[in-house]
Every structure is written in structure tokens, then in C-alpha cells.
Amino acid sequence: MSKTKKAGRAMGSVLLAILSIIYASPIFIILMNSFKKKTYINLEPFVFPTAKTWAGLENYQTGFDKYNFLSGVSTSVIITIGSVVAILLFCSMFAWYITRVHTRFTKFMYLLCVFSMVVPFQMVMFTLSKTADTLKLNTPFTIPIVYLGFGAGLAVFMFCGFIKGVPIEVEEAAMIDGCSPPRTFFSVVLPIMQPTYISVGILQTMWIWNDFLLPYLVLDQKRYRTIPMIIQMMKGSYGRVDMGAIMACLILAVIPVIVFYLFSQKYIIEGVAAGAVKG
Amino acid sequence: MEKAIKRYFPLFIIPTLAAFLIGFIIPFIMGVWLSFCEFTTVQDATFVGFKNYLLAFADETFVHALGFTALFAVVSLVLINVLAFMLAMALTKKLAGTNIFRTIFFMPNLIGGIVLGYIWQLIFNGILSQFDLALNLNAKFGFWGTVILVCWQQIGYMMIIYIAGLQTIPTDVMEAANIDGASGRQRLFRVTLPMMMPSITICTFLSITNGFKLFDQNLSLTGGEPAHATEMLALNIFNTFYSRVGFEGVGQAKAVLFFLLVVGIGLLQLRLTRSKEVQQ
């Protein structure tokens, strides 16, 4: 490699490094402010905490005590795990059936799933929350049914895309050997689909964990609040806004996501790329 | 084999179908019907024809939100895709540190819209307060603030899709162009871009529909202030439903129009870019 080319590449790396620092800085600004006393946050948000403005963990304490942040975490975890498991299991079964059985019904179901992917949530927002209310689906343990229904479109579509590429001979061989259809699905098809389960699981987790409006409208707000709901209500509710507690809760909301991302980065990035190619 | 599977219809189909009915099909059909009705709860609906639609268009905030959202969607579409494409090009040149850069650029995408909105609200207000200004005083600040926020969030996502696309371009095509003496610019516009059209189709589709559907970020960053000037369509519909009693029917009519708009734009965009895709 020539000298000028080498220098050019080094310059490129340096430029990207500067850009990365700028890119990551908003998170650090919030982190910095989460350790300041609340009255100083709006006054000088870009200054490091000094001895005078330092608040220690006080803001985090307020977040836990006054705003019940931990109960938000458990609500969000229950909803996300329940919904993602339900979506992965039932949508893959549904997708296998409608891909392998050719009737007018299965064709219609497939088209309906594709159609539901483009419908914005606002279209069904009001009627969905009323339906969920009537059926008493307003707890973290029952809201996965709503997520399964509204999220089925994308999941079924992605599973169908994968199943179409699986050679049918393997399944036929299993059935000739005496496997019932459920057994064929669970011990032959399901293991082959592992990469698709990961992709769909990641896309759905990203959506459900961060979703604000659906749980806001469906959940019984007096008893259950997800993390985004807690943050929105800290700011939106009347009375004095505690900037310190907000900073602390923003950090508490972001940290688990970043840790999870750093550990499963490879799958997340592959999942996004796979979802996009099929979408 | 089909026959054997068919016997297990209840096991494979019923759970998803039941949830799909509750979570999508019934609300959708009811939504279309209610857009022609006057109601406050679902039970007391009376048919009023197209009245709600006329009222929706007579609502200045809705018409304003329509224009504001369209402008926002186009500006963010262009910025996100141009910047994401440039980053993807830079990150496929095997520079030192590529993996770390990719990790950092993608990260904001995993943070939820509500959290993002409040992060940026602090930053923008921190900058603006130096000049005795604030985000909720001027619609221009709100507009560009939201554009910056959405760029920060989505560039990484589109970048990943573009990187995946760039990696599928066969090296022999590029080599052939090199041997034929194509300049860097010719290689970009005559080889890379045409070969990348499938990725461009997906990314522009995602960013324009995301732009039109934006809600969480709009709610948390500006909340539509000042005086509905930065209110986008989704938030306008939400406010029609939940902060104006008696306007539920109008809200539903707006939602139907919004749905038709999103579908129409999505289809139009797919046709425009699909027609430019080339066979490999």
C-alpha cells in the first residue's frame, strides 16, 4: 500500500472516531446530569458536576422511591417476554400451516398478514383499546394476546418467507416414518428455523420493549406502568417536574438496553439485516 | 401430507387467528365503520355518513399536521438515506476500528422513542437557553429538532441494511469497471447505485413510512407545541380522540385517512424505486 493511501485510511478512521464520539455524546450528557442536583440541570446541562452541584445517587433514589421505577421494569419484562414467546411459538405454527396447506383460506390469511403490516396503529388505536378493555386484557399477563394479534403480520410474513425455502422432502420423510404433524413441526421444522426465530425475536423485542402507546391505552394505568409510560408521566403529569429523577430514569432505561446490545450485537445486527431483506 | 396437517387446524391456526381477530381484524373493521358514525363509546354509535370526514378537513390543525408531516417525512427521508449510505460506504472500506464505529452508530436505534425525545429535549433546550430561546417557542426549532433526533435514531439502522447490500455486490463487477477505466464517480453512479437499488427500495420505504407514522418522538420532544404547530398526523389523531370530547368520530375518520395515506405513499414509493432495480 502506498504512503498516501495509508495516510488517507488513517484520516478516515480518525474522522469516523470523532463522529462516533459526537454520536455517543447525548447518552453521556444525560449520564453526567443524572448526578447533578435537580435545580442545576436546566441551568448548565453541558457542565460537569462540581462539588456544589453534585447530588450523588439521590436522583436514582427518587426514581426508585417516588416513581416506582422497579415496578416499571418488572411490568416491561413480563410484557416483553410473554409477548415475544407467544408470537414466536404461535406465529411460526400458523405460518407453517398456511405455507404447507394450500386452500383459499390460507392464501387469504397470508394476504391479510401482509396487509396488517402496513396499517398504522392509529387506525385501530381506539377500537383496539375498547375491545381489549371489554375482554379484560388490561394486565401485563393478558396483554401478550393483544401483541400477538397486532404483531402477527410481520412475524407470520417472515416465518413464511423462511419456510418456503425449506425443502418439503425432509418433512415428508418424517411423516412417512410415522411422525404426526405436530411432532414433525416441533422436532423437524422448529430446529431448522432457529435463525429465523432469533431474527423475529429480536425485531419483536425491540418493538415491544420500547412501545409506549399500546400499553398506555390498554393497561390498567393505576396498577401497571411500563418503563416508557413511567417516563412519559414524570414529564407529562401536572405539578413540578423533577429533572433529576428524569435524568436518572432515562439512564436506567437506557443502560439495560445497551448492555443487552453489547452482548448480543451479532444477532441483533444480523436480525435487522434479515428482517429488512424479507420486509 | 396436506390432509394430515389439515386435521390439526385447531392447534396450528386457532391461537394466532383468535388473537389476530382481537388485535387487528375486529378493531380494523369497527374502525372503518365508526368513521361514519357519531359516538363517544362504541355502543352509542349512530350513522352520520361522510360528516366526520368533512369535519376532519375543516380542522385547521389536521390540515397543518398533514403538510408538516409530509415536509418532515421528505426531509428526514433524504437526510437519513444519504448519510446512512455514506457511512455504509465508509464502513465497508476495511478501515481500522470499523466494528466499533458500526456498534456505536447502530446503538441509538435500540432506545425507545419516548426516552429519545426527553434526551434530546434536554440537549436542545440546553443549547437554545444560551440565546434565551426554547424548543417550545418556535415551530422551526421543533421541526429541525425532530429531524436531528430521527436522523440520530435511524441512520444506524439504514446503515446496516446498506452495508448488507454493499457486501452482496460481486467483486468481479467492480473489477471489470476498474479495468474499463471507470472513475470513482462513474463506479458509484453506474455500478454501485444500480446494484444497490433493492436496499435503497427497502430503506426509503422504511424511512418514509416511519416519517409519516412518527408518534412517540413527536409526543415527547415537543408535544406539538407551540400551539399545535409541530403536531404531526399521528399525534393530531391521538389528541382528537383523547382531548376533545365528542370528536371521537372525527378522530376515527382522520385515522382512516391517515391509513389510506400511509398505504398509498408506501405503494407509490415501492413502484418508483422497484422500477429502477436491475437484474444481477
Side-chain angles (χ1 to χ4, degrees):
Chain A
M1 213 185 284
S2 71
K3 233 178 183 172
T4 49
K5 222 173 172 186
K6 236 180 186 166
R9 296 177 72 88
M11 273 291 287
S13 283
V14 170
L15 273 178
L16 283 171
I18 295 170
L19 202 59
S20 306
I21 293 170
I22 298 173
Y23 223 77
S25 59
I27 306 282
F28 288 104
I29 293 171
I30 302 297
L31 182 67
M32 199 167 85
N33 281 294
S34 71
F35 295 110
K36 282 188 205 163
K37 286 186 186 142
K38 55 188 171 192
T39 40
Y40 291 98
I41 293 171
N42 275 333
L43 290 175
E44 38 197 46
F46 305 121
V47 186
F48 274 105
T50 59
K52 199 176 96 189
T53 59
W54 178 260
L57 293 174
E58 196 187 303
N59 293 328
Y60 290 87
Q61 198 65 45
T62 322
F64 285 129
D65 295 345
K66 205 171 143 201
Y67 295 98
N68 247 329
F69 192 81
L70 278 182
S71 83
V73 174
S74 64
T75 308
S76 281
V77 168
I78 293 168
I79 292 178
T80 308
I81 293 181
S83 308
V84 172
V85 169
I87 288 174
L88 289 181
L89 178 67
F90 294 125
C91 289
S92 62
M93 290 166 72
F94 186 87
W96 186 64
Y97 185 100
I98 67 169
T99 313
R100 289 295 179 240
V101 174
H102 301 275
T103 60
R104 237 178 286 159
F105 170 78
T106 59
K107 209 171 179 184
F108 177 68
M109 277 297 137
Y110 180 76
L111 289 177
L112 206 57
C113 285
V114 175
F115 172 74
S116 80
M117 287 197 300
V118 290
V119 175
F121 182 66
Q122 275 71 21
M123 173 64 208
V124 295
M125 170 173 80
F126 182 80
T127 44
L128 173 62
S129 60
K130 290 280 173 268
T131 313
D133 218 37
T134 317
L135 297 170
K136 297 271 175 286
L137 298 176
N138 56 2
T139 74
F141 306 99
T142 46
I143 203 175
I145 298 173
V146 181
Y147 271 114
L148 174 61
F150 194 71
L154 176 71
V156 169
F157 179 70
M158 282 181 71
F159 280 122
C160 283
F162 184 84
I163 294 167
K164 276 178 196 151
V166 176
I168 196 166
E169 288 78 11
V170 189
E171 292 159 29
E172 280 171 347
M175 289 211 194
I176 289 166
D177 288 347
C179 283
S180 63
R183 178 111 192 262
T184 310
F185 178 80
F186 286 107
S187 41
V188 178
V189 183
L190 197 144
I192 314 177
M193 286 210 292
Q194 202 193 349
T196 313
Y197 277 106
I198 295 175
S199 303
V200 177
I202 281 165
L203 290 178
Q204 302 284 350
T205 308
M206 281 165 60
W207 164 50
I208 296 167
W209 179 263
N210 290 323
D211 196 20
F212 164 71
L213 197 50
L214 196 153
Y216 175 78
L217 294 176
V218 172
L219 281 185
D220 177 4
Q221 282 180 39
K222 287 188 198 92
R223 293 169 62 198
Y224 307 105
R225 285 178 187 184
T226 63
I227 297 174
M229 282 164 74
I230 289 185
I231 289 173
Q232 174 62 21
M233 280 160 184
M234 287 170 85
K235 194 76 198 221
S237 57
Y238 48 80
R240 293 180 60 188
V241 176
D242 186 340
M243 281 306 276
I246 290 184
M247 294 301 125
C249 287
L250 288 177
I251 287 299
L252 290 171
V254 167
I255 297 284
V257 176
I258 292 180
V259 171
F260 177 71
Y261 170 55
L262 293 179
F263 279 104
S264 50
Q265 207 200 128
K266 186 176 153 258
Y267 298 108
I268 292 180
I269 287 181
E270 275 170 13
V272 165
V277 173
K278 281 168 197 128
Chain B
M1 184 171 145
E2 263 194 58
K3 242 185 176 167
I5 301 176
K6 261 189 182 166
R7 272 191 287 139
Y8 288 89
F9 179 88
L11 178 68
F12 283 92
I13 294 295
I14 296 297
T16 308
L17 184 62
F20 201 41
L21 277 168
I22 297 168
F24 180 74
I25 301 171
I26 294 173
F28 184 85
I29 295 168
M30 260 166 69
V32 174
W33 159 246
L34 286 177
S35 73
F36 296 102
C37 296
E38 210 165 283
F39 61 96
T40 46
T41 60
V42 179
Q43 281 81 24
D44 66 356
T46 45
F47 187 80
V48 290
F50 280 95
K51 189 179 157 206
N52 290 329
Y53 288 88
L54 296 176
L55 281 172
F57 280 114
D59 180 354
E60 270 170 43
T61 62
F62 182 67
V63 179
H64 178 268
L66 187 66
F68 188 84
T69 310
L71 185 66
F72 171 83
V74 172
V75 170
S76 64
L77 164 88
V78 173
L79 283 176
I80 289 171
N81 283 286
V82 169
L83 296 171
F85 195 89
M86 282 162 63
L87 274 183
M89 295 280 284
L91 291 183
T92 44
K93 297 231 184 304
K94 298 195 174 67
L95 296 173
T98 295
N99 282 336
I100 302 171
F101 301 143
R102 195 184 60 174
T103 304
I104 293 175
F105 291 135
F106 183 76
M107 191 183 62
N109 200 267
L110 298 162
I111 304 172
I114 295 286
V115 175
L116 284 172
Y118 289 125
I119 290 177
W120 281 96
Q121 197 184 52
L122 178 88
I123 293 169
F124 290 137
N125 275 334
I127 296 169
L128 290 170
S129 67
Q130 314 277 323
F131 307 98
D132 281 325
L133 296 166
L135 203 57
N136 55 5
L137 291 179
N138 188 328
K140 275 209 182 88
F141 299 150
F143 180 84
W144 289 105
T146 316
V147 169
I148 293 172
L149 185 161
V150 169
C151 282
W152 189 65
Q153 181 190 17
Q154 290 181 11
I155 282 175
Y157 193 94
M158 304 305 164
M159 177 194 78
I160 295 294
I161 301 174
Y162 282 132
I163 289 177
L166 283 169
Q167 282 164 346
T168 60
I169 296 180
T171 46
D172 49 342
V173 180
M174 221 22 114
E175 273 165 25
N178 266 334
I179 292 166
D180 290 347
S183 66
R185 178 180 246 179
Q186 279 173 324
R187 282 201 305 264
L188 175 64
F189 285 100
R190 299 286 165 85
V191 183
T192 309
L193 280 179
M195 297 291 270
M196 286 289 283
M197 275 324 278
S199 306
I200 295 173
T201 303
I202 295 160
C203 288
T204 47
F205 176 79
L206 287 174
S207 44
I208 197 140
T209 47
N210 284 346
F212 271 95
K213 292 199 277 193
L214 200 75
F215 178 83
D216 291 4
Q217 292 86 334
N218 191 213
L219 175 71
S220 54
L221 187 71
T222 67
E225 288 183 62
H228 301 284
T230 61
E231 192 177 71
M232 295 174 60
L233 281 175
L235 183 58
N236 182 273
I237 294 167
F238 177 83
N239 284 338
T240 313
F241 268 120
Y242 296 103
S243 40
R244 293 169 80 179
V245 179
F247 276 75
E248 286 83 357
V250 183
Q252 192 57 53
K254 285 179 179 178
V256 172
L257 291 168
F258 180 52
F259 151 69
L260 292 173
L261 182 74
V262 170
V263 171
I265 284 172
L267 289 177
L268 185 72
Q269 187 278 336
L270 282 182
R271 272 187 78 165
L272 279 177
T273 48
R274 273 274 147 82
S275 64
K276 295 201 171 59
E277 285 181 16
V278 290
Q279 291 287 318
Q280 289 212 357

